[in-house]
Amino acid sequence: MRRFILHTYDKSKSFDLNGETALAAEPTGLGNKFSLSYKESEKGKHLTNVKPDFEQIQLAIYFNADGSNGYGNYKSLSLFLAECGTSPFLFEYNDGVTDKFCEVVSNAMPKTEKNADGIFVETFTFDRQTYWYERVEESFALKKTVAASSFPLHFPFGFAGMVFKNKYKVSNPFFVDAPIIIKISGDIAENIRLYLADMNDKVIAEISLATNNAEGTEIVIDPTTKKITVTDTVSGATRNGYGLTDKTKQSFLYLPQGEYYIGSNMTADDGGAIEMSIKRFLFD
């Protein structure tokens, strides 16, 4: 059975569209659509560019399947959408095979009266911003860890004690660059460098921060929001960390299609961690 749920971008609040007070049906716009550009020449017509041209997602939402008047249920959804405002939020779609997400903004939320049968149903429209992706992201960390511990990218057998990794092989099978979300925490002594290299160890992108890191400070570099945030984990105070970056290099990292190495200049003496997650885009 298909299921639809709306979430704020940070997933702190959700609105379920699968109950008797708000039941989504008759969905359209869940597939992919592309805009194609061609160039005419003496030899004929040649494809020059392909880019996503997402259709709007539309859902007929029934607000009184439980026999209520429905207007209060409608107001609950409208308050949720008002909280999301004009910023993208998450549209979750489970087709019974894959649980996936895309980012949307609200486009239309009409309001009429119940029909002659007492049914209150409205068609809501959302403008889709991204391809579908899995929320369970590929995650790993550049840090010291016990060899016997469980880890998403497994260590070789036979190691004992502490193992230090500051470089990993990663891949992206999708044709769209995948954003790499980075979280830096704990004690790291030197100015922090993060890089992406091809299979010949040629660096193709890097971030250089003019700072070390201390216990109690967390730096998050998030290309999906285009923000670099420094947080004091004790007080919860945050500040913009964009000024820490070397402007001759990249501010954010994206993983192109193919296989690459991702690494840092951390050493075995550092007690902190650089954790990364790569969003897995899906074609369907």
Side-chain angles (χ1 to χ4, degrees), residues 17 21 28 85 107 133 158 162 180 197 215 224 259 266 277:
L17 296 174
T21 58
T28 61
N107 179 284
Y133 59 85
M162 301 298 290
I180 302 171
E215 189 68 40
T224 64
E259 292 188 329
M266 281 182 64
S277 62

Side-chain angles (χ1 to χ4, degrees), residues 243-267:
L244 300 174
T245 61
D246 182 343
K247 301 307 183 293
T248 65
K249 299 178 172 60
Q250 283 73 36
S251 298
F252 305 99
L253 290 183
Y254 296 84
L255 181 62
Q257 187 176 32
E259 292 188 329
Y260 298 87
Y261 292 115
I262 192 167
S264 78
N265 64 339
M266 281 182 64
T267 72

